[in-house]
Amino acid sequence: MKVSERLKGMWIMGMTLLSLGAYTAFFVAQMWLNLLHAVYLGLMLMQIAALIMYLWGPEKIAFKPLKLLYHLLYASSILVLPAFIFIFMGLISQYHVSIPASIDASNMAVEEILPGDETVIYNTGTVYVFFPKYSEVDLVRKDRPSKSDKSITWCSGAAFQHTVSIGFDEDDIEGDHASGGVFYDSPYDKDAFAAFVFYDGNFRFEFENKTEAMKTAADAGGAGFMQFALIRDKEVVMNFDRPRARCYRTLAELNGQLCIIDSVKMLHFDEFMEELQRLGVTNAVYMDMGAGWNYSWYRCPTGKVKTLFGLPVPWSHNWVVFRQ
């Protein structure tokens, strides 16, 4: 066998193994986007087919359409590399970076976990509790907030997007929402949603009259959005069966103060909830949205931006920001 044919065989076998690994990671991590799932599955099957045809012997193929198919399958292997890189980056985005500058709160009394004069972060060993310095909380739509905007002290994904779309469509934001004093009626409200609103310098979680709360916020020039209700008056109201570990986030009220709570590392959802209950979280909405959607960062008191989840997806079109 010629050296070129041996090298071709090594390439096909390598790309087949890489496509199997990429698809397995995609499946296990539940990075569910129906279109991408079909693409990765199809790409993997194409590499397997190319490998089978190579092992059988391309020189034995007499039927020209079948020989052409083999060459097309071989050419498709070049797509495995960008697919693997995309999945790898997506997996990285599900892991939280460590924050050495956080305050050790593992033995701290819960009532002492409070905001300071600047952005402050506590580490309980299970979760990070972020108290960004702010005077305003806003919902930014369409264009992703810039890290160069020094008024922003926290930025993360807010409401769910109904469809995977590169272009922005207001109706794709699930749940009624308000931004810049304007109310937007969504066709995708859910009974399990709660409303978070901010206006007149105050925040509020609303679990019953959600649309009315959003309109009130808009009329006052404020902002807000809807997400799954997680905790209401210290009672867990979200029934969420998640069989695997991952990083979780919530926008919450703790000790009467607004904060963001992230898991320190990947854990099971019931562990995350147990820690929220131990802390005595009063109200909370679910904020985790999976690979890519977890894009988030905060600004240190020095002005430096610390990125938590660094991979933004191009079809994410709304973010909650804290401004000082």
Side-chain angles (χ1 to χ4, degrees), residues 149-196:
D149 184 347
K150 295 185 178 181
S151 71
I152 299 177
T153 56
W154 171 273
C155 173
S156 67
F160 285 120
Q161 296 286 144
H162 189 72
T163 60
V164 176
S165 175
I166 301 298
F168 174 72
D169 187 331
E170 199 75 57
D171 284 349
D172 277 345
I173 299 178
E174 292 196 358
D176 297 338
H177 51 284
S179 178
V182 179
F183 171 78
Y184 298 95
D185 185 21
S186 170
Y188 304 112
D189 292 351
K190 291 182 172 66
D191 291 339
F193 279 169
F196 167 81

Side-chain angles (χ1 to χ4, degrees), residues 116-120 131-135 151 153-154 322-324:
D117 294 332
E118 299 288 345
T119 294
V120 62
F131 288 105
K133 181 181 179 181
Y134 74 95
S135 59
S151 71
T153 56
W154 171 273
F322 287 57
R323 298 184 188 274
Q324 60 182 351

Side-chain angles (χ1 to χ4, degrees), residues 80-140:
V80 174
L81 290 175
F84 177 81
I85 291 171
F86 184 84
I87 292 174
F88 178 74
M89 293 301 292
L91 286 174
I92 289 177
S93 77
Q94 295 195 62
Y95 289 82
H96 205 300
V97 300
S98 62
I99 307 176
S102 57
I103 299 171
D104 183 3
S106 55
N107 296 313
M108 185 180 291
V110 170
E111 56 270 18
E112 295 178 3
I113 301 178
L114 294 166
D117 294 332
E118 299 288 345
T119 294
V120 62
I121 307 162
Y122 297 89
N123 182 352
T124 72
T126 303
V127 298
Y128 288 114
V129 182
F130 296 84
F131 288 105
K133 181 181 179 181
Y134 74 95
S135 59
E136 178 188 1
V137 181
D138 197 8
L139 179 72
V140 176

Side-chain angles (χ1 to χ4, degrees), residues 1-11 54 58-59:
M1 182 182 289
K2 294 180 180 180
V3 175
S4 60
E5 289 299 318
R6 290 180 181 274
L7 291 175
K8 182 181 289 187
M10 292 173 64
W11 170 266
Y54 172 81
E59 71 281 355

Side-chain angles (χ1 to χ4, degrees), residues 201-244:
N202 297 298
F203 70 90
R204 173 184 165 196
F205 292 89
E206 177 58 49
F207 299 86
E208 295 293 341
N209 302 314
K210 297 167 288 190
T211 297
E212 289 76 6
M214 203 66 64
K215 289 180 178 179
T216 299
D219 290 342
F225 63 95
M226 293 185 185
Q227 259 288 4
F228 285 123
L230 196 62
I231 295 176
R232 176 182 183 181
D233 296 329
K234 297 190 176 183
E235 296 292 328
V236 175
V237 293
M238 184 174 184
N239 182 18
F240 186 58
D241 181 19
R242 199 71 169 181
R244 66 188 182 91

Side-chain angles (χ1 to χ4, degrees), residues 43-62:
L43 187 59
M44 179 187 70
L45 294 176
M46 290 167 70
Q47 304 318 300
I48 293 173
L51 180 59
I52 291 173
M53 295 176 76
Y54 172 81
L55 295 174
W56 182 58
E59 71 281 355
K60 298 177 183 179
I61 303 174

Side-chain angles (χ1 to χ4, degrees), residues 31 85-94 144 147 290-296 307-316:
M31 298 163 65
I85 291 171
F86 184 84
I87 292 174
F88 178 74
M89 293 301 292
L91 286 174
I92 289 177
S93 77
Q94 295 195 62
R144 189 168 68 247
K147 293 179 180 179
W293 305 86
N294 275 340
Y295 172 79
S296 53
T307 301
L308 301 176
F309 294 91
L311 180 68
V313 291
W315 43 82
S316 179

